[in-house]
Amino acid sequence: MRYFWVCTLAFLSIVSNLSAQKPKKTSSAEIYHNLQKLNFLGTALYVAAHPDDENTRLISYLSNHEKAHTVYLSLTRGDGGQNLIGSELRELLGVLRTQELLAARRIDGGEQRFTRANDFGYSKHPKETLKIWDKDKVLGDVIWAIRTIKPDVIINRFDHRSPGSTHGHHTSSAMLSMEAFDLANDPSAYQNQLQLTSTWQPKRIFFNTSWWFYGSPENFEKADKSNMIKMDIGSYYPLLGLSNNEIASIASSQHLCQGFGRLTQRGSEEEYVELLKGDLPNGNNLFDGIDTSWSRVKGGNAVGEILYEVEKNFDFRNPAKHIPQLVKAYQLLQQIEDEHWKTLKSEELKDIIQACAGLYLEANAASASTTPGSDAKVNIEVLNRSAENITLKKIQLIGADAAIAPNQVLVNNEKKEFEIEFTVPNDIGYSSPYWLDEPGTLGMYAVDNQKLIGKPETPSVFQAKFVLEFDGMEIEFEKPVIHRFSKPDKGELYEPFAVLPVATSKIDGKVLIFSDAATKDIQVKVRAGKNNVSGTVRLEHPAGWTVTPPNFSFFISQKGQEQTVTFKVTPPSVESEGKISPIITVDNKTYGKELVEINYDHIPKQSILLPSEAKVVRMDIQKSGEHIGYIMGAGDEVPESLEQIGYQVHIIDPSDIQEGELDKYDAIVVGIRAYNVVDDLKFKQPILFNYVKKGGNMIVQYNTAGRWADQFKNIAPFDLTISRDRVTDETAEVDIIAPNNPLVSYPNAIKQSDFDGWVQERGLYYPSEWSAEFTPVLSMHDEDDEPTKGSLLVAPYGEGHYIYTGLSFFRELPAGVSGAYKLFANMLSIGKDDVKKESNVKG
């Protein structure tokens, strides 16, 4: 086991190219592996819809067995899913999943690309998907990917011929890929792109099929496979000490927010692709008939002659001996006219030259962030760990007007250190995901810069360009400026060097509920991006609302410190919704952004700038009870939302649940997917049901069907079968089919208007069958679907009530949907008669 993880960690360094990752520390075996990939001039593009859709087994096989340049095009960033490791949702979840995809690609050897499509949630049909996405723009982005990546083969994860049988995003990704396969080579299609790239015709396109698409292994066994290629993707790579399936398992396990951590796998495994367009290869080589040698490029034979010789006679004990040959090959490569292959292979070759020389090149900022107009310092470390004649000619800081020219010979293993001080340009861009800079739509991110479209992340604001001379040949190496530091409990750490605003602000709570016309204190935190920041902050607000005082003055002496100011906000006397936004003024410049940081061990730290604002809602709501016990599941913000309407929410550790301990609560609420992720619940079901029997209310929110242990076969006191039924249209009509039921009549009368303004969906994983004890309360359906009645079920049990709901309260409450609050208050209040209107709701 120890040997396995040593090999695994070594392998991770092969493709560790993200700006905030540790520098590559490549072994001789890994250099040779990369040299083999350098000498393969073929590209594969894998196309699907979301993070986690990709087949890491096939991506790793193409990258590490075939040695192809392999790219995964995920049409979305996965913004519409759930999060098992934190509270990030929507655009923040998209940032997290983007980084998890990059982490996966660093392991399986692939590259990552995207389109501007926004994952708006589950879609039942591509007709809906392509309506909410801007089909013309997303198709253009797929064509842009093909024209810039120039793949020889394209592989679709999903079947374009089966609309309505799976997630609409899935089918749409395949449909768009098929259409783009032809249009990418059409000079009349998306002509504006051709100012930056050229047309391209892939050789062939496949569908990555399997028994799953046929319903069963038996059906697939009987299927006509004359148009399919079978590959054994269980290859073992002695150079890496890992099999292909082990690499694939480790890569897919990077999708931690989706709960994809899994055991590694080994051994032979079959993988199938079905030809959709193009000619069928002979045998099992997807690149059959395609010249993948250096001879495919005009002038490439001279380059290949050198590099094939290096590969053939590679010296694992002393790879530095090959540097003169590699430098000569690099020199010849610069004379090639084909810009695509010259650019791609130059970067690969430079990495190999650097690794052979044991070159360590680092640009380490003295702090983790800076601001426009500030002074900054970068510490430079340069080390040549070979006997080769290498001279450091120049170091230039791209993004700033700063450079030094040491012109020093790099003596073997003699470290050189320098400092570069500079002033950050006032007009420099911030370090934030570029696709979040401008407001988008439900289905699309707003990105107008064609050069940025598809990039997985915002390019580093500052790059250090090292100009090195190898026996008269100058080669430039670019490294992102990072921040390297250490912590006693974690060791050496790397972060991106971020450019942030002089000041940012944050309102405590993204949704503020006012249940009456009483004034509430609203706190705003002002954070300094540099030392000695002073200014004022005011609160923009909707008409009819009152804010006092008009503004506050502040002074913050230390960078990163916060100062809290408190405004008094008074709502109107009638129901009203709007937004409040802090506006900071410093030196006659205004700032209205909030800084959100995402920091998990498996991804680099992310700094995201979003509009600083909160939704304010004035609503009339009545409720019963006070103390709510909440059992957290996969993570949601429902407890904080319930506190907004006056409940005291107590988080319950399932392992601490004992008979009688729950009696003090007016209701028990079980968080989303709790039965999927909390093993201890399997021991506590009898206690929970007994609590209900004695008069308590138990509300269970959605769980995914079939993803729990046998002990959870009955998550309710009566028969209940969870299905995959859902209503994805958040505007779908809702019928109240049990109008006299307390859930829709007491203490708040639920009306049709209470289902206005819902976000992303109505709900998911509704029960499809239930015993007679349950009463269905609502009926709803998506277009062309039959009505489903399982979204909200209630059953009396003893003296209490058991409620199961697939309604997406975990989305609606944090979004401040008034009707969702009223409906949830009714669920908590069922069977109680001490209803009161709240007058002091917590902020």
Side-chain angles (χ1 to χ4, degrees):
M1 179 60 72
R2 179 181 181 275
Y3 171 74
F4 168 77
W5 283 111
V6 169
C7 292
T8 299
L9 293 173
F11 172 73
L12 299 187
S13 69
I14 298 174
V15 287
S16 179
N17 58 4
L18 190 65
S19 60
Q21 294 299 311
K22 294 182 179 181
K24 302 176 185 179
K25 299 174 183 178
T26 315
S27 70
S28 292
E30 294 160 352
I31 295 173
Y32 182 74
H33 180 77
N34 290 346
L35 184 60
Q36 291 177 315
K37 297 180 73 172
L38 176 67
N39 282 333
F40 187 94
L41 278 70
T43 300
L45 177 64
Y46 197 90
V47 180
H50 309 107
D52 84 359
D53 283 347
E54 79 273 28
N55 183 344
T56 54
R57 299 183 305 275
L58 189 50
I59 290 176
S60 178
Y61 178 83
L62 293 170
S63 177
N64 298 299
H65 183 274
E66 298 295 342
K67 307 300 189 294
H69 175 219
T70 307
V71 182
Y72 174 41
L73 176 63
S74 176
L75 267 59
T76 76
R77 297 176 185 266
D79 317 66
Q82 288 84 51
N83 184 357
L84 289 181
I85 63 173
S87 60
E88 295 86 4
L89 291 174
R90 290 305 307 152
E91 66 271 9
L92 295 180
L93 181 60
V95 173
L96 172 56
R97 290 188 171 181
T98 293
Q99 291 300 320
E100 290 186 337
L101 274 174
L102 287 169
R105 298 295 80 78
R106 291 195 297 273
I107 292 168
D108 60 33
E111 183 184 327
Q112 187 61 51
R113 295 286 183 94
F114 296 94
T115 74
R116 289 170 290 178
N118 191 344
D119 178 6
F120 56 84
Y122 191 87
S123 176
K124 292 181 177 179
H125 199 281
K127 181 174 64 174
E128 178 197 34
T129 299
L130 296 175
K131 180 180 178 182
I132 295 176
W133 290 351
D134 185 326
K135 181 193 172 182
D136 184 65
K137 289 182 178 179
V138 181
L139 175 60
D141 291 354
V142 178
I143 291 173
W144 171 252
I146 293 173
R147 287 173 171 175
T148 54
I149 297 166
K150 302 191 183 305
D152 299 297
V153 298
I154 297 177
I155 305 168
N156 292 340
R157 184 64 177 117
F158 300 104
D159 190 352
H160 68 287
R161 299 160 296 192
S162 56
S165 63
T166 182
H167 197 321
H169 296 183
H170 293 169
T171 311
S172 295
S173 71
M175 293 168 64
L176 292 170
S177 178
M178 288 291 291
E179 192 170 350
F181 180 85
D182 296 321
L183 289 176
N185 200 39
D186 183 352
S188 67
Y190 298 91
Q191 297 180 31
N192 62 306
Q193 297 180 3
L194 300 180
Q195 300 173 23
L196 300 170
T197 188
S198 59
T199 58
W200 181 255
Q201 182 58 62
K203 183 76 170 177
R204 48 185 72 112
I205 185 169
F206 300 95
F207 162 43
N208 184 194
T209 190
S210 69
W211 69 261
W212 189 87
F213 293 96
Y214 285 77
S216 70
E218 293 75 21
N219 289 343
F220 188 57
E221 183 69 27
K222 301 172 186 175
D224 178 11
K225 298 183 177 64
S226 60
N227 210 33
M228 295 185 190
I229 295 176
K230 180 176 73 172
M231 295 165 284
D232 183 351
I233 49 85
S235 305
Y236 176 67
Y237 308 124
L239 286 173
L240 306 178
L242 291 167
S243 68
N244 190 74
N245 288 342
E246 287 172 317
I247 294 170
S249 298
I250 299 167
S252 65
S253 289
Q254 302 309 300
H255 296 296
L256 295 182
C257 74
Q258 300 185 73
F260 267 47
R262 59 176 180 154
L263 294 172
T264 55
Q265 298 176 350
R266 288 151 290 278
S268 178
E269 184 172 354
E270 293 179 346
E271 193 74 52
Y272 287 85
V273 294
E274 176 190 355
L275 182 70
L276 300 175
K277 288 184 180 182
D279 60 313
L280 186 68
N282 293 318
N284 60 1
N285 182 359
L286 301 188
F287 292 89
D288 176 67
I290 301 170
D291 186 358
T292 58
S293 70
W294 279 101
S295 63
R296 81 176 290 175
V297 180
K298 183 180 178 181
N301 282 327
V303 179
E305 184 177 348
I306 297 172
L307 294 178
Y308 292 137
E309 178 67 20
V310 173
E311 181 181 345
K312 180 179 178 181
N313 298 295
F314 187 73
D315 189 335
F316 287 84
R317 291 182 178 273
N318 182 26
K321 68 178 286 187
H322 300 294
I323 292 177
Q325 293 168 281
L326 296 171
V327 170
K328 178 61 176 176
Y330 181 82
Q331 185 177 24
L332 292 172
L333 182 55
Q334 304 319 297
Q335 301 171 18
I336 287 178
E337 296 178 3
D338 189 319
E339 288 296 325
H340 172 74
W341 285 113
K342 180 168 68 175
T343 301
L344 186 65
K345 291 302 178 180
S346 290
E347 291 304 312
E348 292 181 21
L349 183 49
K350 285 197 295 185
D351 286 344
I352 290 174
I353 292 171
Q354 180 182 343
C356 286
L359 274 172
Y360 187 87
L361 307 172
E362 182 180 271
N364 175 26
S367 62
S369 66
T370 188
T371 59
S374 296
D375 293 330
K377 182 174 71 173
V378 174
N379 300 307
I380 302 294
E381 180 180 342
V382 181
L383 181 62
N384 169 28
R385 289 172 286 193
S386 75
E388 290 303 304
N389 182 19
I390 305 173
T391 301
L392 175 62
K393 303 289 289 185
K394 182 181 180 180
I395 304 170
Q396 180 182 355
L397 200 61
I398 300 174
D401 184 17
I404 57 175
N407 199 28
Q408 295 184 15
V409 174
L410 299 178
V411 178
N412 186 6
N413 214 31
E414 185 177 299
K415 182 169 63 175
K416 302 289 185 180
E417 294 181 298
F418 310 94
E419 288 184 358
I420 298 180
E421 295 184 349
F422 65 99
T423 300
V424 180
N426 283 309
D427 59 352
I428 200 165
Y430 293 130
S431 301
S432 185
Y434 69 87
W435 61 94
L436 299 179
D437 285 346
E438 299 295 334
T441 64
L442 174 63
M444 295 293 294
Y445 282 118
V447 182
D448 294 326
N449 186 340
Q450 187 67 52
K451 293 181 180 180
L452 283 176
I453 291 173
K455 288 186 179 295
E457 55 186 347
T458 305
S460 297
V461 177
F462 296 110
Q463 297 268 346
K465 181 168 70 177
F466 298 82
V467 182
L468 302 177
E469 182 181 279
F470 297 78
D471 287 327
M473 177 64 187
E474 287 190 358
I475 301 179
E476 298 177 353
F477 298 84
E478 291 188 7
K479 302 293 177 183
V481 177
I482 50 83
H483 176 57
R484 178 166 64 97
F485 64 105
S486 66
K487 287 186 176 181
D489 58 337
K490 291 185 180 294
E492 186 177 58
L493 298 170
Y494 287 74
E495 289 183 358
F497 179 50
V499 177
L500 303 174
V502 168
T504 55
S505 60
K506 179 182 179 181
I507 299 178
D508 278 350
K510 288 302 175 187
V511 175
L512 305 172
I513 306 298
F514 292 73
S515 64
D516 57 22
T519 298
K520 294 176 67 171
D521 289 343
I522 303 301
Q523 292 187 332
V524 175
K525 294 179 180 178
V526 179
R527 182 185 186 275
K530 64 177 184 178
N531 293 339
N532 300 318
V533 177
S534 62
T536 61
V537 57
R538 59 186 174 85
L539 206 58
E540 287 190 344
H541 56 85
W545 296 67
T546 304
V547 174
T548 57
N551 60 66
F552 278 99
S553 297
F554 68 87
F555 172 76
I556 305 175
S557 60
Q558 295 294 317
K559 172 182 177 179
Q561 285 188 339
E562 293 181 339
Q563 182 176 326
T564 300
V565 298
T566 303
F567 291 93
K568 293 188 177 297
V569 177
T570 305
S573 58
V574 296
E575 291 193 342
S576 172
E577 293 186 5
K579 290 183 178 179
I580 55 174
S581 306
I583 303 297
I584 299 171
T585 301
V586 177
D587 295 331
N588 296 320
K589 293 184 179 180
T590 58
Y591 302 89
K593 295 290 188 179
E594 174 187 352
L595 173 63
V596 180
E597 295 179 333
I598 300 177
N599 202 1
Y600 293 99
D601 288 342
H602 66 303
I603 65 167
K605 179 182 177 181
Q606 299 296 298
S607 299
I608 303 103
L609 295 170
L610 299 174
S612 181
E613 59 188 22
K615 181 178 181 180
V616 287
V617 181
R618 165 72 170 95
M619 69 170 74
D620 290 316
I621 189 169
Q622 298 185 39
K623 62 180 245 338
S624 175
E626 183 175 359
H627 295 279
I628 306 299
Y630 202 93
I631 301 172
M632 294 298 296
D636 58 61
E637 298 176 9
V638 172
E640 295 88 339
S641 299
L642 296 180
E643 288 177 342
Q644 289 258 36
I645 56 173
Y647 285 107
Q648 295 185 40
V649 181
H650 309 266
I651 303 300
I652 298 174
D653 184 341
S655 62
D656 294 337
I657 295 177
Q658 301 294 331
E659 192 67 54
E661 286 293 313
L662 304 179
D663 295 348
K664 57 190 175 186
Y665 300 117
D666 296 298
I668 299 295
V669 181
V670 181
I672 62 172
R673 298 181 66 181
Y675 289 101
N676 301 136
V677 299
V678 182
D679 287 340
D680 280 349
L681 276 178
K682 63 189 175 186
F683 304 115
K684 307 300 180 178
Q685 287 292 88
I687 300 175
L688 288 166
F689 292 160
N690 196 39
Y691 161 80
V692 179
K693 204 171 188 178
K694 293 188 293 183
N697 291 336
M698 181 178 176
I699 300 169
V700 177
Q701 298 177 83
Y702 96 93
N703 285 262
T704 52
R707 296 184 181 179
W708 49 59
D710 290 340
Q711 293 91 333
F712 292 152
K713 186 174 182 180
N714 292 317
I715 63 172
F718 308 109
D719 290 340
L720 185 70
T721 302
I722 308 300
S723 72
R724 299 182 65 87
D725 290 348
R726 61 175 76 203
V727 176
T728 62
D729 182 356
E730 64 271 28
T731 66
E733 184 177 349
V734 177
D735 292 326
I736 301 174
I737 57 176
N740 297 322
N741 191 279
L743 293 191
V744 289
S745 63
Y746 182 83
N748 302 287
I750 303 300
K751 306 180 292 295
Q752 287 292 336
S753 59
D754 288 312
F755 294 98
D756 294 342
W758 285 51
V759 298
Q760 188 161 327
E761 62 200 352
R762 288 296 189 195
L764 62 171
Y765 292 99
Y766 295 168
S768 58
E769 298 179 6
W770 50 85
S771 66
E773 287 83 358
F774 282 105
T775 298
V777 179
L778 306 173
S779 175
M780 59 189 71
H781 65 94
D782 284 317
E783 185 179 0
D784 299 328
D785 284 353
E786 292 296 320
T788 177
K789 300 179 180 180
S791 63
L792 181 58
L793 303 174
V794 58
Y797 183 64
E799 297 179 8
H801 295 82
Y802 177 95
I803 299 170
Y804 185 91
T805 180
L807 293 171
S808 57
F809 288 106
F810 72 102
R811 297 194 193 280
E812 313 312 323
L813 298 185
V817 178
S818 300
Y821 275 92
K822 294 176 182 178
L823 186 55
F824 211 102
N826 285 5
M827 293 193 298
L828 294 170
S829 303
I830 190 170
K832 305 185 185 303
D833 56 9
D834 57 338
V835 172
K836 60 177 180 290
K837 182 180 178 186
E838 285 301 307
S839 59
N840 292 308
V841 179
K842 294 184 179 181

